[in-house]
Structures are given as C-alpha cells and as structure tokens.
C-alpha cells in the first residue's frame, strides 16, 4: 500500500508506477515523472533519493526532458529505480510521507499537468501481428479458412513496415484528416480529403539499450532491450491506402498521425500478467524466433468513439493483447536479425489487436466490412468511418488481485482536412 490514496480501480497504484514526461503552467520545463494515484511524483525533485549502486552514479538522467537516457541504462537501473520508488511511496516509509515541504514540491496533480511524448522517438516500426486482423473477412474473401487468407510469409515471420516517427503525437493532440490520392467511383485517380478515416487499436513498446549495427539482438536476451509499453492508435486512411499501397505498402495513408498514451508501463509492472501465447505457432518458427518463456501480456483493451453530438462515448471494441500471434521478443529479434541497430526510445507497434470475436474487432474497417455496412453508436447515430469532430478513446488495463495496472487514455479528436489551395 501507498500513503497516496486511490481506489482499487485506479490505473496507477503502487504496483504500476509508469514513467511519463510532463510540464505545468508555472514551470514549462519538460520533467520526468511517475504516476501514482491521481498524482505525479516529479523525479527532478527527488533524484537525490536514488542512491543505489547504479543510479547514484547517473541520477542526472532524471533531469533530462525525455526518458531516452534512462531507457538506455538497461535492466539493472530500471530494477533499482522501481525498488526505490516503491519504497519511497509505501505507506510505512517516512521520507516523503512525513516531510510536508518535500511532498509539496515533489507531487503534482495529474489534472494540473500537461503531458508530452515520453521519449524522443528516433524510429517507429509497425508490425502486423494479429492473426485475426491479418485474416479478417476471410469468409467474405473466398478463403476456406483463416490460414488460406494469409500471405505465405505471415506465419513464418513477424511482418512489419517502417513508419513515420515525426508524426507520433501524445494523447489529446487533435488529428487532422489527411489528404491524398484515391480512386473515384468511376475508377479514376482523384485528389481530395480522406473519406474512409479509421482508427487502429494497438499496443507498442519502447526499446531500451542500444544494439550495435550489424549485431542482431538474440531472442533469449531481447527482453533486456524492452523498456515498457503504451497504447497506440495508428490512424489509417483506408481509401488512400487502397490506391497507393502496391507495390511498396502504405505511405500517406499511415504517415499523417499516430497517437500514443503518455504513460510508459514498464515490463516489470507487467511481469505478473505475462501469459503463454493462446494460439499455437504453426509451423514452428525458425530457430532465431524460438523462445520458451511466456511473453504475451494479458491486457484488456477497449476502443470508443464520441461524436460531437454524443453525451457519452460508445464502446465499439473489447479485446485483449494476449491474442497476438507474434510476441515482442520475436518482433525485436526479427527486426534486428538483418543487423539493423536499435536505439533507446525506438517505438515498435504491435499492429491492430483484433481477437477471435466480432466484439474484439479493433478497427472500423473490420467492423463495417470495409465500409459496406454501418454500425450503431446508439441513439440513431451510425458510422462506417470516422467523421470530423469524432473523438476516439482507447484504454487498457491488466487486472490484478484487488488492483489494476492501467495505461490511461490514448485519445484524439478528428479535425477537418486542410485542403491545399
């Protein structure tokens, strides 16, 4: 228990302690903080209390405006920091609890903070790792089963593409409807604003210590390079994508915006929720992709839409990250097997986290059969794709025994297109 009060449904109990970057109205400096209850512990104020054998030599990482330097320190520093934080915030530890002046300086109400990207994202890769998303609509595509709807390579490797890091934004940032080329109903290329704007409910992980160019990350040590996870909305312009994606894959359809939740939940906080892959990987992956330990995560995820004329959001999706076919360790091992190097703060998206049921379809394209049918948001409101003014709200949590380890919200509101004159 912590001396900071919160209820059992709080996203940020002492069992979580995610890291983020924030500022306040009276201090515009970007600072590293840790969420606890409805508060943020400002690590710039308490950095001298990190006096263990690792962090006592490099506690200035908590003065940085991003988490990159801390991410780069690796597992010993992460473990030591978590132990220090759990001690400082525990109910029976007087250091912060009984020092009113230090508490006043060290804690900031989350409602009074502005959140920023937690890291400088040098590179962003998006995987395609849900069997159910990759094979969605198989029975409407003339396939006899899900496997027949997959490309031949899909069960052999974690398929991915390199995405755009410059347009990754933090939750709460508005999303401008993109423009580009698409095919008209007459079958001709036209230019205009996207008419089939979609969300994609994903998770993503941030990388830790760098790897060297030309040296793959071994799958048995890959976890030492995985710092923690966030929720990701990888917004998609389906009509633009349909015209441009062959032969090299999506371009403008995916580069205009990707939204992440602001709090990075560490893999140590997620360790109690690691589970075996519920889908047997068949055929057996090649040796460099094989690992025996559980490294999927039981994360309950929801996606909701709130239109401008709606009082409350309508939940469209309930799914779980544990349905993913490829694990994060496999994704990272495959990403680097070519010799590609990683740096602290690189972002790796999971791909759309769709599950085996209709409720767990994690994008509008799946739910509306690529726009062929409308879905109800309640009170007579229908959608095929997103309209201007729609806010998409993604959330997720792991359910513990009497507590939750949550991620907070990943939200963005759609603004009208900015058509060039």
């Amino acid at each position: 228990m912590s001396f900071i009060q919160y209820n059992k449904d709080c996203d940020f109990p002492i069992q979580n302690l995610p890291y983020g970057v924030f500022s306040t109205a009276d201090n515009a400096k970007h600072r590293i903080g840790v969420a606890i209850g409805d508060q943020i512990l400002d690590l710039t104020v308490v950095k001298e209390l990190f006096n263990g054998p690792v962090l006592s030599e490099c506690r200035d990482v908590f003065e940085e405006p991003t988490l990159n330097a801390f991410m780069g320190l690796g597992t010993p520093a992460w473990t030591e920091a978590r132990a220090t934080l759990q001690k400082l915030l525990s109910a029976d530890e007087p250091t912060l609890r009984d020092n009113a002046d230090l508490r006043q300086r060290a804690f900031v109400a989350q409602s009074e903070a502005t959140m920023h990207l937690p890291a400088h994202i040098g590179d962003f890769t998006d995987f395609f790792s849900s069997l159910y998303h990759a094979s969605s609509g198989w029975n409407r595509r003339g396939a006899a089963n899900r496997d027949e709807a997959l490309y031949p390579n899909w069960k052999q490797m974690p398929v991915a593409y390199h995405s755009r890091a410059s347009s990754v934004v933090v939750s709460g940032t508005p999303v401008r409807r993109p423009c580009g080329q698409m095919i008209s109903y007459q079958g001709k290329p036209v230019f205009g604003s996207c008419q089939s704007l979609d969300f994609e409910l994903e998770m993503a992980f941030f990388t830790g210590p760098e790897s060297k160019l030309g040296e793959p990350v071994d799958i048995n040590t890959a976890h030492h390079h995985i710092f923690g996870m966030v929720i990701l909305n990888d917004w998609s312009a389906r009509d633009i994508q349909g015209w441009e994606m062959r032969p090299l894959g999506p371009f403008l359809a995916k580069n205009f915006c990707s939204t992440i939740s602001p709090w990075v939940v560490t893999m140590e906080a997620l360790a109690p929720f690691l589970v075996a892959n519920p889908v047997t990987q068949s055929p057996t992956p090649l040796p460099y992709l094989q690992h025996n330990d559980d490294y999927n995560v039981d994360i309950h995820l929801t996606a909701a839409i709130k239109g401008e004329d709606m009082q409350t959001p309508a939940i469209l999706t309930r799914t779980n990250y544990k349905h993913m076919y490829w694990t994060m360790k496999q994704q990272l091992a495959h990403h680097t097997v070519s010799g590609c190097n990683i740096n602290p703060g690189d972002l790796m998206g999971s791909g759309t986290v769709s599950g085996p049921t209709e409720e767990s379809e994690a994008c509008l394209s799946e739910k509306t059969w690529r726009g062929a049918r409308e879905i109800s948001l309640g009170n007579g409101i229908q959608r095929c794709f997103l309209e201007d003014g729609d806010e998409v709200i993604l959330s997720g949590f792991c359910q513990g025994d009497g507590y939750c380890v949550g991620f907070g919200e990943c939200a963005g509101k759609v603004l009208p297109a900015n058509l060039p004159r």
Side-chain angles (χ1 to χ4, degrees):
M1 294 291 293
S2 172
F3 62 85
I4 300 294
Q5 298 298 305
Y6 48 80
N7 61 45
K8 66 178 183 179
D9 297 322
C10 174
D11 276 344
F12 308 125
I14 197 168
Q15 292 92 342
N16 192 346
L17 304 180
Y19 294 91
V21 171
F22 74 101
S23 64
T24 50
D26 61 349
N27 185 352
K29 179 183 176 183
H30 290 199
R31 290 110 75 192
I32 294 174
V34 166
I36 176 74
D38 62 358
Q39 300 292 304
I40 300 172
L41 177 62
D42 186 341
L43 298 194
T44 66
V45 175
V46 298
K47 71 170 189 174
E48 298 301 327
L49 300 179
F50 290 86
N51 50 21
V54 179
L55 289 172
S56 61
E57 301 297 321
C58 51
R59 55 171 69 103
D60 285 347
V61 294
F62 297 128
E63 290 279 2
E64 295 287 329
T66 66
L67 283 163
N68 295 71
F70 179 57
M71 290 172 170
L73 292 180
T75 303
W78 306 340
T79 301
E80 186 177 290
R82 180 172 174 81
T84 300
L85 288 165
Q86 287 195 314
K87 179 182 178 183
L88 288 172
L89 293 167
S90 66
D92 56 358
E93 170 57 43
T95 304
L96 282 172
R97 185 196 65 196
D98 297 347
N99 188 329
D101 175 67
L102 182 57
R103 279 205 323 273
Q104 184 176 15
R105 291 184 291 113
F107 287 101
V108 174
Q110 290 176 29
S111 60
E112 297 177 2
T114 298
M115 300 305 297
H116 306 281
L117 286 176
H120 170 73
I121 301 169
D123 288 291
F124 170 29
T125 299
D126 195 36
F127 286 87
F128 185 47
S129 291
S130 164
L131 170 66
Y132 302 104
H133 180 59
S135 61
S136 66
W138 63 270
N139 53 343
R140 299 186 299 275
R141 290 157 55 186
N145 52 52
R146 288 190 179 276
D147 280 3
E148 193 173 291
L150 299 171
Y151 286 105
N153 63 353
W154 196 89
K155 282 194 167 184
Q156 297 291 343
M157 68 180 82
V159 174
Y161 69 94
H162 294 289
S163 198
R164 183 72 182 175
S166 67
S167 53
V168 178
V169 300
V170 73
S171 177
T173 305
V175 181
R176 181 72 64 179
R177 183 179 295 273
C179 299
Q181 288 190 33
M182 61 208 79
I183 293 295
S184 70
Y185 289 116
Q186 291 75 35
K188 295 181 179 180
V190 295
F191 174 82
S193 62
C194 168
Q195 299 302 301
S196 303
L197 183 60
D198 202 353
F199 70 87
E200 288 188 340
L201 170 52
E202 302 190 19
M203 296 298 296
F205 68 87
F206 276 103
T207 56
E210 67 180 4
S211 64
K212 294 182 179 179
L213 184 65
E215 297 185 8
V217 172
D218 187 274
I219 196 164
N220 295 306
T221 59
H223 57 285
H224 292 304
H225 294 270
I226 301 174
F227 176 73
M229 300 182 74
V230 293
I231 302 173
L232 166 67
N233 185 348
D234 199 34
W235 306 85
S236 297
R238 302 296 187 190
D239 44 2
I240 296 173
Q241 182 176 355
W243 171 231
E244 73 178 5
M245 69 181 297
R246 293 179 179 84
L248 293 180
F251 183 35
L252 304 186
K254 303 291 283 186
N255 73 358
F256 62 96
C257 191
S258 300
T259 304
I260 63 171
S261 53
W263 295 105
V264 186
V265 178
T266 66
M267 295 310 299
E268 287 179 285
L270 295 173
F273 310 102
L274 294 178
V275 294
N277 196 323
V279 180
T280 301
Q281 293 185 337
S282 177
T284 302
L286 294 174
Y288 78 96
L289 291 173
Q290 295 176 16
H291 67 92
N292 295 321
D293 56 323
D294 295 344
Y295 213 75
N296 219 321
V297 193
D298 185 2
I299 307 172
H300 302 272
L301 296 166
T302 61
I305 294 177
K306 184 177 183 294
E308 285 192 315
D309 49 356
M310 296 171 60
Q311 295 299 311
T312 57
I315 295 177
L316 299 183
T317 299
R318 298 183 189 275
T319 187
N320 197 302
Y321 182 79
K322 70 182 181 181
H323 295 307
M324 301 306 283
Y325 187 89
W326 296 104
T327 69
M328 289 178 282
K329 292 179 71 168
Q330 290 173 317
Q331 290 168 345
L332 189 58
H334 183 64
H335 195 304
T336 62
V337 75
S338 65
C340 175
N341 57 315
I342 57 170
N343 291 302
D346 287 350
L347 187 67
M348 308 282 182
S350 64
T352 306
V353 188
S354 294
T357 66
E358 185 173 337
E359 183 184 44
S360 61
E361 293 169 337
C363 63
L364 287 173
S365 181
E366 288 186 50
K367 288 188 171 295
T368 67
W369 299 355
R370 300 186 181 180
R373 64 172 187 172
E374 291 185 322
I375 58 171
S376 174
L377 303 186
N379 296 320
I381 300 171
Q382 305 286 322
R383 288 289 186 276
C384 278
F385 289 103
L386 297 171
E387 296 185 2
D388 292 345
D390 284 351
E391 183 181 21
V392 178
I393 305 162
L394 311 181
S395 59
F397 68 94
C398 302
Q399 184 61 61
D401 185 7
Y403 69 94
C404 295
V405 169
F407 291 82
E409 287 188 349
C410 176
K413 187 175 183 178
V414 178
L415 300 182
N418 187 10
L419 282 163
R421 300 186 180 207

